[in-house]
Amino acid sequence: MFVTTGQAGSALGCSIPTVKKLIGTGVVPGVRDAGRQVFPFSALQALQQRPAADLTAVGAGEVAVLRADTPARVDEPGREWIGFGTMLSAAQLLAGLNGWWRCDPARVAAAGVLPVTVAHFVVAVLTNLDDYDAQGEGRDARFRFAKARLAGYVTDLTAPVNAADPEDPQDARLAGLLLGTRLVSVSGGPIAYVTTNPTTDTEGE
């Protein structure tokens, strides 16, 4: 049984473009490529049951969130892709997610973890954010977290399992805490900042 992207969006509290973005990452199994009814109802039920992220366990007052898009090819030194998608290797994901972003790098690094979301679901987790490179100046400055580690990522959001094998126990703990959870954020750019206090706010991307 399938539902339309509009029905899926209404059930998940997000827009149709956001549902299509989620589909485009490859994390929803069983999606059909043709017709209006493309989203598996069983997958929708599984996503509706995903818990909210418990940010209080992170141990910081605020957590930065990277709101990723579907994979896109780029011609840049050190990487061929930006964004998140299950068709990318772990190395490609890390290179595609660790920069270059307009942000306050010290503020991003402060919590020690950067959850990566698509449609408000955590699909990847970056750690080791203390070192960063700068490109440009002032309001045009962009930053890359050069030594970031990919602590975890998922390939199936309906039954999230860490596809990475982190060696660091803290990386494993943070990935286990965040992957597959729902983490609502609001931002005009790719980086959002979320307080660790519980919230009931919802906002379609």
Side-chain angles (χ1 to χ4, degrees):
M1 181 177 177
F2 291 82
V3 297
T4 65
T5 52
Q7 290 169 326
S10 295
L12 296 175
C14 58
S15 65
I16 291 176
T18 299
V19 174
K20 291 182 177 179
K21 181 192 299 185
L22 186 65
I23 292 172
T25 64
V27 295
V28 182
V31 171
R32 294 199 325 198
D33 293 332
R36 292 180 64 246
Q37 294 183 318
V38 299
F39 205 99
F41 182 64
S42 58
L44 176 60
Q45 289 181 309
L47 294 184
Q48 287 179 300
Q49 294 171 7
R50 298 311 306 156
D54 180 11
L55 295 181
T56 59
V58 172
E62 178 185 72
V63 174
V65 178
L66 172 59
R67 297 151 55 91
D69 210 333
T70 51
R73 279 195 175 274
V74 293
D75 183 15
E76 297 180 2
R79 64 179 180 180
E80 299 176 345
W81 299 89
I82 58 172
F84 179 88
T86 59
M87 48 82 72
L88 301 180
S89 68
Q92 289 173 323
L93 283 174
L94 178 57
L97 296 172
N98 71 352
W100 297 85
W101 310 119
R102 286 193 177 99
C103 63
D104 179 339
R107 191 177 178 188
V108 171
V113 62
L114 179 62
V116 179
T117 64
V118 176
H120 300 313
F121 291 99
V122 180
V123 295
V125 175
L126 301 184
T127 60
N128 199 41
L129 306 166
D130 291 329
D131 292 328
Y132 43 85
D133 299 328
Q135 189 179 78
E137 297 180 355
R139 298 183 65 178
D140 292 328
R142 296 172 181 264
F143 299 89
R144 181 185 67 163
F145 299 89
K147 296 183 180 179
R149 294 191 298 264
L150 184 63
Y153 67 100
V154 298
T155 58
D156 181 350
L157 193 55
T158 66
V161 174
N162 192 351
D165 186 18
E167 296 181 359
D168 186 279
Q170 177 69 349
D171 284 4
R173 184 187 78 85
L174 290 170
L177 177 72
L178 294 169
L179 284 177
T181 62
R182 191 123 188 222
L183 178 50
V184 176
S185 64
V186 180
S187 175
I191 300 290
Y193 301 94
V194 180
T195 62
T196 56
N197 296 324
T199 178
T200 57
D201 292 343
T202 58
E203 177 74 23
E205 291 183 344

